[in-house]
């Protein structure tokens, strides 16, 4: 068991650079509590950190504005809990493998941008997501290549843009599912589910005006 605790508490421009080359059962907790312009990334492999191994637990709390996270995770049974509170924050997260993983995304604020690509050439079988988003003018671009992906989204805010793709299949009985609950106006939502011989399901509850919803399902 490896435990890494990294916490930065200065006023601004806090940086954490981290690499896990190999090894299982890694636990990382990072809290950037104040300031702006904070980042979690890598000094050695471009701008993206890498955590490589199975049974990882990665918890991040960023508070403030203009913060960023750029990272890759490789391995199965990953628990990733990400929280950004503030405005003009960005996150780009790439995951390869990540079978039977649980991912929690908690965003509060405006004008934030999030890009997620889970699978990255390998299926992320039976991944489960929980989203809690509060704010306006946020942009989310999410691609999950998986043999069965469940995304549970609770959105409060207006003028947000969501583009979510669930694709991929395997030989199990898993299927793609999106549970969507939103309150707000003028949101634009594009949901795409692409499977082969597997099932897809979308359950949406909307409360708001002038929303644009585009849904595509295909085998």
């Amino acid at each position: 068991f490896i435990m890494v605790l990294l916490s930065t508490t200065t006023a601004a421009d806090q940086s954490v650079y981290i690499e896990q080359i190999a090894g299982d059962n890694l636990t990382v907790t990072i809290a950037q509590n104040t300031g702006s312009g904070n980042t979690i990334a890598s000094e050695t492999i471009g701008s993206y950190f890498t955590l490589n191994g199975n049974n990882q637990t990665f918890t991040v709390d960023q508070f403030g504005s203009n913060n960023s996270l750029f990272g890759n995770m490789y391995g199965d049974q990953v628990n990733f809990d990400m929280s950004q509170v503030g405005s003009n924050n960005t996150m780009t997260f790439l995951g390869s493998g990540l079978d039977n993983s649980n991912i929690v995304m908690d965003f509060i604020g405006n004008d934030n941008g999030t890009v997620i690509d889970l699978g990255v050439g390998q299926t992320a079988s039976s991944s489960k997501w929980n989203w809690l988003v509060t704010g306006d003018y946020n942009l989310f671009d999410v691609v999950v290549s998986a043999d069965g992906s469940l995304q549970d989204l609770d959105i409060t805010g207006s003028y947000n843009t969501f583009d979510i793709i669930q694709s991929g299949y395997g030989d199990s009985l898993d299927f793609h599912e999106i549970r969507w609950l939103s309150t707000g106006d003028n949101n634009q939502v594009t949901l795409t589910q692409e499977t082969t011989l597997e099932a897809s399901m979308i359950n949406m509850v909307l409360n708001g005006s002038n929303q644009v919803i585009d849904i595509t399902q295909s085998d």
Side-chain angles (χ1 to χ4, degrees), residues 53-77:
N54 298 323
N55 300 303
Q56 300 181 59
T57 298
F58 186 43
T59 304
V60 175
D61 293 299
Q62 289 183 318
F63 295 88
S65 301
N66 300 300
N67 298 315
S68 63
L69 179 146
F70 301 98
N72 302 275
M73 296 184 74
Y74 300 88
D76 296 333
Q77 295 181 319

PDB file of all heavy atoms in Angstrom, residues 53-77:
ATOM      1  N   GLY A  53      -1.321   1.973 -12.734  1.00  0.00           N
ATOM      2  CA  GLY A  53      -1.480   0.873 -11.801  1.00  0.00           C
ATOM      3  C   GLY A  53      -2.933   0.604 -11.487  1.00  0.00           C
ATOM      4  O   GLY A  53      -3.814   1.430 -11.753  1.00  0.00           O
ATOM      5  N   ASN A  54      -3.211  -0.550 -10.926  1.00  0.00           N
ATOM      6  CA  ASN A  54      -4.567  -0.944 -10.578  1.00  0.00           C
ATOM      7  C   ASN A  54      -4.921  -0.502  -9.157  1.00  0.00           C
ATOM      8  O   ASN A  54      -4.050  -0.231  -8.333  1.00  0.00           O
ATOM      9  CB  ASN A  54      -4.716  -2.458 -10.694  1.00  0.00           C
ATOM     10  CG  ASN A  54      -4.488  -2.953 -12.109  1.00  0.00           C
ATOM     11  OD1 ASN A  54      -4.865  -2.295 -13.083  1.00  0.00           O
ATOM     12  ND2 ASN A  54      -3.872  -4.118 -12.233  1.00  0.00           N
ATOM     13  N   ASN A  55      -6.215  -0.423  -8.890  1.00  0.00           N
ATOM     14  CA  ASN A  55      -6.723  -0.102  -7.549  1.00  0.00           C
ATOM     15  C   ASN A  55      -6.210   1.252  -7.046  1.00  0.00           C
ATOM     16  O   ASN A  55      -5.755   1.379  -5.915  1.00  0.00           O
ATOM     17  CB  ASN A  55      -6.356  -1.207  -6.559  1.00  0.00           C
ATOM     18  CG  ASN A  55      -6.935  -2.551  -6.952  1.00  0.00           C
ATOM     19  OD1 ASN A  55      -8.142  -2.690  -7.105  1.00  0.00           O
ATOM     20  ND2 ASN A  55      -6.067  -3.532  -7.144  1.00  0.00           N
ATOM     21  N   GLN A  56      -6.297   2.244  -7.903  1.00  0.00           N
ATOM     22  CA  GLN A  56      -5.872   3.583  -7.513  1.00  0.00           C
ATOM     23  C   GLN A  56      -7.048   4.368  -6.923  1.00  0.00           C
ATOM     24  O   GLN A  56      -8.192   4.218  -7.342  1.00  0.00           O
ATOM     25  CB  GLN A  56      -5.343   4.349  -8.722  1.00  0.00           C
ATOM     26  CG  GLN A  56      -4.157   3.714  -9.414  1.00  0.00           C
ATOM     27  CD  GLN A  56      -3.697   4.572 -10.570  1.00  0.00           C
ATOM     28  OE1 GLN A  56      -3.341   5.729 -10.399  1.00  0.00           O
ATOM     29  NE2 GLN A  56      -3.707   4.004 -11.776  1.00  0.00           N
ATOM     30  N   THR A  57      -6.728   5.234  -5.965  1.00  0.00           N
ATOM     31  CA  THR A  57      -7.696   6.187  -5.433  1.00  0.00           C
ATOM     32  C   THR A  57      -7.083   7.577  -5.548  1.00  0.00           C
ATOM     33  O   THR A  57      -6.056   7.866  -4.945  1.00  0.00           O
ATOM     34  CB  THR A  57      -8.039   5.880  -3.961  1.00  0.00           C
ATOM     35  OG1 THR A  57      -8.641   4.587  -3.878  1.00  0.00           O
ATOM     36  CG2 THR A  57      -9.021   6.913  -3.424  1.00  0.00           C
ATOM     37  N   PHE A  58      -7.726   8.428  -6.350  1.00  0.00           N
ATOM     38  CA  PHE A  58      -7.180   9.748  -6.658  1.00  0.00           C
ATOM     39  C   PHE A  58      -8.246  10.782  -6.317  1.00  0.00           C
ATOM     40  O   PHE A  58      -9.325  10.794  -6.902  1.00  0.00           O
ATOM     41  CB  PHE A  58      -6.801   9.811  -8.131  1.00  0.00           C
ATOM     42  CG  PHE A  58      -6.095  11.073  -8.545  1.00  0.00           C
ATOM     43  CD1 PHE A  58      -5.098  11.628  -7.763  1.00  0.00           C
ATOM     44  CD2 PHE A  58      -6.418  11.703  -9.740  1.00  0.00           C
ATOM     45  CE1 PHE A  58      -4.437  12.782  -8.156  1.00  0.00           C
ATOM     46  CE2 PHE A  58      -5.765  12.854 -10.140  1.00  0.00           C
ATOM     47  CZ  PHE A  58      -4.774  13.394  -9.343  1.00  0.00           C
ATOM     48  N   THR A  59      -7.950  11.652  -5.345  1.00  0.00           N
ATOM     49  CA  THR A  59      -8.905  12.660  -4.876  1.00  0.00           C
ATOM     50  C   THR A  59      -8.296  14.042  -5.040  1.00  0.00           C
ATOM     51  O   THR A  59      -7.181  14.296  -4.572  1.00  0.00           O
ATOM     52  CB  THR A  59      -9.266  12.423  -3.396  1.00  0.00           C
ATOM     53  OG1 THR A  59      -9.771  11.096  -3.245  1.00  0.00           O
ATOM     54  CG2 THR A  59     -10.314  13.420  -2.934  1.00  0.00           C
ATOM     55  N   VAL A  60      -9.024  14.940  -5.689  1.00  0.00           N
ATOM     56  CA  VAL A  60      -8.528  16.287  -5.964  1.00  0.00           C
ATOM     57  C   VAL A  60      -9.578  17.314  -5.567  1.00  0.00           C
ATOM     58  O   VAL A  60     -10.755  17.189  -5.939  1.00  0.00           O
ATOM     59  CB  VAL A  60      -8.178  16.469  -7.454  1.00  0.00           C
ATOM     60  CG1 VAL A  60      -7.791  17.911  -7.743  1.00  0.00           C
ATOM     61  CG2 VAL A  60      -7.059  15.527  -7.866  1.00  0.00           C
ATOM     62  N   ASP A  61      -9.156  18.345  -4.816  1.00  0.00           N
ATOM     63  CA  ASP A  61      -9.994  19.498  -4.501  1.00  0.00           C
ATOM     64  C   ASP A  61      -9.246  20.755  -4.919  1.00  0.00           C
ATOM     65  O   ASP A  61      -8.153  21.033  -4.414  1.00  0.00           O
ATOM     66  CB  ASP A  61     -10.306  19.559  -3.008  1.00  0.00           C
ATOM     67  CG  ASP A  61     -11.196  18.416  -2.555  1.00  0.00           C
ATOM     68  OD1 ASP A  61     -12.325  18.327  -3.056  1.00  0.00           O
ATOM     69  OD2 ASP A  61     -10.754  17.618  -1.719  1.00  0.00           O
ATOM     70  N   GLN A  62      -9.834  21.511  -5.836  1.00  0.00           N
ATOM     71  CA  GLN A  62      -9.275  22.797  -6.257  1.00  0.00           C
ATOM     72  C   GLN A  62     -10.302  23.890  -6.001  1.00  0.00           C
ATOM     73  O   GLN A  62     -11.439  23.797  -6.460  1.00  0.00           O
ATOM     74  CB  GLN A  62      -8.901  22.778  -7.741  1.00  0.00           C
ATOM     75  CG  GLN A  62      -7.691  21.925  -8.081  1.00  0.00           C
ATOM     76  CD  GLN A  62      -7.318  22.013  -9.563  1.00  0.00           C
ATOM     77  OE1 GLN A  62      -8.185  21.997 -10.436  1.00  0.00           O
ATOM     78  NE2 GLN A  62      -6.036  22.097  -9.847  1.00  0.00           N
ATOM     79  N   PHE A  63      -9.884  24.924  -5.267  1.00  0.00           N
ATOM     80  CA  PHE A  63     -10.759  26.046  -4.951  1.00  0.00           C
ATOM     81  C   PHE A  63     -10.132  27.319  -5.522  1.00  0.00           C
ATOM     82  O   PHE A  63      -8.947  27.588  -5.320  1.00  0.00           O
ATOM     83  CB  PHE A  63     -10.932  26.186  -3.439  1.00  0.00           C
ATOM     84  CG  PHE A  63     -11.635  25.026  -2.798  1.00  0.00           C
ATOM     85  CD1 PHE A  63     -10.913  23.928  -2.367  1.00  0.00           C
ATOM     86  CD2 PHE A  63     -13.010  25.026  -2.626  1.00  0.00           C
ATOM     87  CE1 PHE A  63     -11.546  22.848  -1.771  1.00  0.00           C
ATOM     88  CE2 PHE A  63     -13.649  23.944  -2.036  1.00  0.00           C
ATOM     89  CZ  PHE A  63     -12.919  22.859  -1.609  1.00  0.00           C
ATOM     90  N   GLY A  64     -10.945  28.112  -6.225  1.00  0.00           N
ATOM     91  CA  GLY A  64     -10.435  29.345  -6.801  1.00  0.00           C
ATOM     92  C   GLY A  64     -10.697  29.401  -8.290  1.00  0.00           C
ATOM     93  O   GLY A  64     -11.478  28.617  -8.828  1.00  0.00           O
ATOM     94  N   SER A  65     -10.020  30.300  -8.968  1.00  0.00           N
ATOM     95  CA  SER A  65     -10.239  30.524 -10.396  1.00  0.00           C
ATOM     96  C   SER A  65      -8.977  30.274 -11.194  1.00  0.00           C
ATOM     97  O   SER A  65      -7.865  30.304 -10.666  1.00  0.00           O
ATOM     98  CB  SER A  65     -10.727  31.957 -10.624  1.00  0.00           C
ATOM     99  OG  SER A  65     -11.934  32.201  -9.923  1.00  0.00           O
ATOM    100  N   ASN A  66      -9.181  29.995 -12.490  1.00  0.00           N
ATOM    101  CA  ASN A  66      -8.073  29.769 -13.423  1.00  0.00           C
ATOM    102  C   ASN A  66      -7.178  28.611 -12.990  1.00  0.00           C
ATOM    103  O   ASN A  66      -5.970  28.616 -13.218  1.00  0.00           O
ATOM    104  CB  ASN A  66      -7.247  31.046 -13.589  1.00  0.00           C
ATOM    105  CG  ASN A  66      -8.067  32.197 -14.135  1.00  0.00           C
ATOM    106  OD1 ASN A  66      -8.624  32.122 -15.228  1.00  0.00           O
ATOM    107  ND2 ASN A  66      -8.189  33.262 -13.353  1.00  0.00           N
ATOM    108  N   ASN A  67      -7.780  27.602 -12.362  1.00  0.00           N
ATOM    109  CA  ASN A  67      -7.039  26.411 -11.985  1.00  0.00           C
ATOM    110  C   ASN A  67      -7.140  25.368 -13.093  1.00  0.00           C
ATOM    111  O   ASN A  67      -8.038  25.408 -13.934  1.00  0.00           O
ATOM    112  CB  ASN A  67      -7.589  25.838 -10.677  1.00  0.00           C
ATOM    113  CG  ASN A  67      -7.441  26.813  -9.524  1.00  0.00           C
ATOM    114  OD1 ASN A  67      -6.410  27.433  -9.338  1.00  0.00           O
ATOM    115  ND2 ASN A  67      -8.515  26.979  -8.743  1.00  0.00           N
ATOM    116  N   SER A  68      -6.228  24.384 -13.072  1.00  0.00           N
ATOM    117  CA  SER A  68      -6.226  23.391 -14.139  1.00  0.00           C
ATOM    118  C   SER A  68      -5.725  22.045 -13.649  1.00  0.00           C
ATOM    119  O   SER A  68      -4.944  21.962 -12.696  1.00  0.00           O
ATOM    120  CB  SER A  68      -5.356  23.859 -15.313  1.00  0.00           C
ATOM    121  OG  SER A  68      -4.004  24.005 -14.918  1.00  0.00           O
ATOM    122  N   LEU A  69      -6.188  20.995 -14.312  1.00  0.00           N
ATOM    123  CA  LEU A  69      -5.687  19.643 -14.113  1.00  0.00           C
ATOM    124  C   LEU A  69      -5.529  19.003 -15.482  1.00  0.00           C
ATOM    125  O   LEU A  69      -6.459  19.041 -16.297  1.00  0.00           O
ATOM    126  CB  LEU A  69      -6.634  18.819 -13.248  1.00  0.00           C
ATOM    127  CG  LEU A  69      -6.226  17.359 -12.981  1.00  0.00           C
ATOM    128  CD1 LEU A  69      -6.668  16.927 -11.579  1.00  0.00           C
ATOM    129  CD2 LEU A  69      -6.852  16.396 -14.020  1.00  0.00           C
ATOM    130  N   PHE A  70      -4.349  18.419 -15.736  1.00  0.00           N
ATOM    131  CA  PHE A  70      -4.076  17.708 -16.975  1.00  0.00           C
ATOM    132  C   PHE A  70      -3.457  16.364 -16.607  1.00  0.00           C
ATOM    133  O   PHE A  70      -2.363  16.332 -16.030  1.00  0.00           O
ATOM    134  CB  PHE A  70      -3.108  18.491 -17.870  1.00  0.00           C
ATOM    135  CG  PHE A  70      -3.605  19.853 -18.261  1.00  0.00           C
ATOM    136  CD1 PHE A  70      -3.180  20.975 -17.567  1.00  0.00           C
ATOM    137  CD2 PHE A  70      -4.496  20.016 -19.305  1.00  0.00           C
ATOM    138  CE1 PHE A  70      -3.634  22.236 -17.918  1.00  0.00           C
ATOM    139  CE2 PHE A  70      -4.966  21.266 -19.653  1.00  0.00           C
ATOM    140  CZ  PHE A  70      -4.531  22.388 -18.964  1.00  0.00           C
ATOM    141  N   GLY A  71      -4.152  15.255 -16.904  1.00  0.00           N
ATOM    142  CA  GLY A  71      -3.599  13.988 -16.452  1.00  0.00           C
ATOM    143  C   GLY A  71      -4.100  12.766 -17.181  1.00  0.00           C
ATOM    144  O   GLY A  71      -5.130  12.791 -17.868  1.00  0.00           O
ATOM    145  N   ASN A  72      -3.324  11.676 -17.030  1.00  0.00           N
ATOM    146  CA  ASN A  72      -3.661  10.354 -17.538  1.00  0.00           C
ATOM    147  C   ASN A  72      -3.691   9.374 -16.386  1.00  0.00           C
ATOM    148  O   ASN A  72      -2.850   9.439 -15.484  1.00  0.00           O
ATOM    149  CB  ASN A  72      -2.594   9.850 -18.527  1.00  0.00           C
ATOM    150  CG  ASN A  72      -2.394  10.774 -19.699  1.00  0.00           C
ATOM    151  OD1 ASN A  72      -3.102  10.695 -20.684  1.00  0.00           O
ATOM    152  ND2 ASN A  72      -1.399  11.640 -19.611  1.00  0.00           N
ATOM    153  N   MET A  73      -4.619   8.429 -16.438  1.00  0.00           N
ATOM    154  CA  MET A  73      -4.625   7.318 -15.492  1.00  0.00           C
ATOM    155  C   MET A  73      -4.758   6.012 -16.277  1.00  0.00           C
ATOM    156  O   MET A  73      -5.558   5.923 -17.216  1.00  0.00           O
ATOM    157  CB  MET A  73      -5.758   7.449 -14.480  1.00  0.00           C
ATOM    158  CG  MET A  73      -5.633   8.664 -13.565  1.00  0.00           C
ATOM    159  SD  MET A  73      -6.926   8.751 -12.280  1.00  0.00           S
ATOM    160  CE  MET A  73      -6.376   7.453 -11.166  1.00  0.00           C
ATOM    161  N   TYR A  74      -3.948   5.023 -15.887  1.00  0.00           N
ATOM    162  CA  TYR A  74      -3.947   3.715 -16.535  1.00  0.00           C
ATOM    163  C   TYR A  74      -4.159   2.642 -15.472  1.00  0.00           C
ATOM    164  O   TYR A  74      -3.465   2.643 -14.456  1.00  0.00           O
ATOM    165  CB  TYR A  74      -2.611   3.457 -17.252  1.00  0.00           C
ATOM    166  CG  TYR A  74      -2.275   4.448 -18.323  1.00  0.00           C
ATOM    167  CD1 TYR A  74      -1.589   5.617 -18.018  1.00  0.00           C
ATOM    168  CD2 TYR A  74      -2.640   4.220 -19.645  1.00  0.00           C
ATOM    169  CE1 TYR A  74      -1.266   6.539 -19.009  1.00  0.00           C
ATOM    170  CE2 TYR A  74      -2.334   5.136 -20.637  1.00  0.00           C
ATOM    171  CZ  TYR A  74      -1.646   6.293 -20.317  1.00  0.00           C
ATOM    172  OH  TYR A  74      -1.328   7.208 -21.293  1.00  0.00           O
ATOM    173  N   GLY A  75      -5.090   1.737 -15.705  1.00  0.00           N
ATOM    174  CA  GLY A  75      -5.304   0.655 -14.761  1.00  0.00           C
ATOM    175  C   GLY A  75      -6.775   0.428 -14.485  1.00  0.00           C
ATOM    176  O   GLY A  75      -7.633   1.242 -14.834  1.00  0.00           O
ATOM    177  N   ASP A  76      -7.068  -0.691 -13.840  1.00  0.00           N
ATOM    178  CA  ASP A  76      -8.441  -1.067 -13.534  1.00  0.00           C
ATOM    179  C   ASP A  76      -8.803  -0.715 -12.098  1.00  0.00           C
ATOM    180  O   ASP A  76      -7.941  -0.507 -11.252  1.00  0.00           O
ATOM    181  CB  ASP A  76      -8.628  -2.572 -13.746  1.00  0.00           C
ATOM    182  CG  ASP A  76      -8.420  -2.973 -15.202  1.00  0.00           C
ATOM    183  OD1 ASP A  76      -8.644  -2.127 -16.087  1.00  0.00           O
ATOM    184  OD2 ASP A  76      -8.042  -4.134 -15.445  1.00  0.00           O
ATOM    185  N   GLN A  77     -10.102  -0.650 -11.850  1.00  0.00           N
ATOM    186  CA  GLN A  77     -10.640  -0.387 -10.512  1.00  0.00           C
ATOM    187  C   GLN A  77     -10.060   0.899  -9.922  1.00  0.00           C
ATOM    188  O   GLN A  77      -9.508   0.928  -8.825  1.00  0.00           O
ATOM    189  CB  GLN A  77     -10.381  -1.583  -9.596  1.00  0.00           C
ATOM    190  CG  GLN A  77     -11.132  -2.830 -10.041  1.00  0.00           C
ATOM    191  CD  GLN A  77     -10.909  -4.011  -9.135  1.00  0.00           C
ATOM    192  OE1 GLN A  77      -9.801  -4.258  -8.678  1.00  0.00           O
ATOM    193  NE2 GLN A  77     -11.969  -4.760  -8.870  1.00  0.00           N
TER     194      GLN A  77
END
